[in-house]
């Protein structure tokens, strides 16, 4: 075989194997078309504007049964207290903040909400309809079930 023939055959083989390899390559997304036959996983559902879920134990901070987006709590304003404070609760029909929220860390009763309890969402979170992250056999205590 002449040298130039060998070179041409070599070239053809190289191109063919290159094409075969290109065929196997695919993006991380796989071969799914961009227009989305695959649906993204469903975002778990927040439960705004529902009734307050029962508590599981006495000391549990109750979950928030309503939307809190845009409710500011900072140095100058506390949106939560504009409904939940004792002076507003009657008119807004919100649950009054607990008596414990007027007590400071030394157990002294204060005339206004304790600084420890000022940032409500430190402890209270909106409720969400979601399966438990870990299977467990926890049962709410009798005292609050009855
Ligand atoms: C516009 C008035 C309003 C504002 C502002 C508001 N709430 Fe409420 N909240 C309510 C009302 C009314 C209820 C009672 C709903 C019910 O019992 O079904 C409630 C219920 C709750 C409960 C459940 C109480 C229970 O008895 O289980 C919690 C906890 C709560 N809110 C926390 C907050 C927090 C934290 C904020 C601020 C981020 C906030 N709320 C802002 C009106 C308000
Ligand atoms: C350090 C955690 C913590 C912070 C901060 C906090 N709470 Fe609570 N909250 C609790 C716990 C725990 C309970 C349930 C036990 C109790 O009553 O103390 C509760 C109970 C409540 C209740 C139900 C009261 C009742 O009589 O059933 C309301 C309403 C409430 N909190 C609103 C608020 C609001 C509004 C703020 C912000 C001004 C706030 N909490 C800040 C922990 C907290």
């Amino acid at each position: 075989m002449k040298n130039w023939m060998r070179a041409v055959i070599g070239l053809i083989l190289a191109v063919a194997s290159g094409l075969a390899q290109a065929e196997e390559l695919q993006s991380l997304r796989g071969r799914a078309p961009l227009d989305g036959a695959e649906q993204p996983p469903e975002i778990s559902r927040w439960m705004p504007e529902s009734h307050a879920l029962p508590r599981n134990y006495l000391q549990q901070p109750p979950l928030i049964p309503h939307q809190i987006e845009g409710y500011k709590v900072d140095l100058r304003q506390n949106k939560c207290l504009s409904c939940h404070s004792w002076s507003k609760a009657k008119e807004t029909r919100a649950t009054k903040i607990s008596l414990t929220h007027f007590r400071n860390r030394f157990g002294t009763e204060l005339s206004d909400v304790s600084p420890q309890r000022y940032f409500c969402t430190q402890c209270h979170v909106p409720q969400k309809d979601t399966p438990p992250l870990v299977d467990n056999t926890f049962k709410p205590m009798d005292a609050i079930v009855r």
Side-chain angles (χ1 to χ4, degrees):
M1 208 187 282
K2 290 199 168 122
N3 272 350
W4 69 266
M5 275 174 92
R6 252 190 225 136
V8 168
I9 290 170
L11 194 66
I12 291 169
L13 286 177
V15 168
S17 80
L19 283 177
Q21 271 175 16
E23 189 73 0
E24 283 158 25
L25 287 177
Q26 52 173 280
S27 73
L28 287 176
R29 188 169 45 83
R31 288 169 199 276
L34 265 182
D35 57 6
E38 273 177 42
Q39 291 302 317
E42 197 190 329
I43 299 171
S44 53
R45 289 192 315 118
W46 293 100
M47 296 168 67
E49 315 314 338
S50 61
H51 60 282
L53 290 182
R55 299 179 211 182
N56 290 315
Y57 53 97
L58 286 180
Q59 299 82 356
Q60 179 193 329
L63 296 168
I64 309 173
H66 56 70
Q67 190 67 258
I68 58 163
E69 209 180 328
Y71 286 5
K72 274 196 183 160
V73 176
D74 61 27
L75 186 64
R76 288 184 186 79
Q77 57 190 322
N78 187 321
K79 181 70 179 168
C80 313
L81 286 175
S82 73
C83 289
H84 285 277
S85 70
W86 281 46
S87 56
K88 300 281 169 50
K90 203 166 210 173
E91 170 193 328
T92 59
R93 299 184 180 211
T95 326
K96 288 194 295 236
I97 53 168
S98 167
L99 265 183
T100 58
H101 292 30
F102 293 89
R103 204 173 294 146
N104 71 8
R105 73 169 91 165
F106 306 111
T108 313
E109 300 289 349
L110 309 174
S111 59
D112 203 349
V113 61
S114 164
Q116 268 185 304
R117 306 283 195 161
Y118 187 79
F119 294 101
C120 319
T121 48
Q122 236 177 295
C123 304
H124 297 280
V125 292
Q127 52 197 24
K128 203 174 177 189
D129 182 13
T130 168
L133 287 176
V134 179
D135 276 343
N136 65 77
T137 55
F138 181 84
K139 289 203 172 53
M141 55 189 292
D142 287 348
I144 55 174
V145 173
R146 283 182 205 139

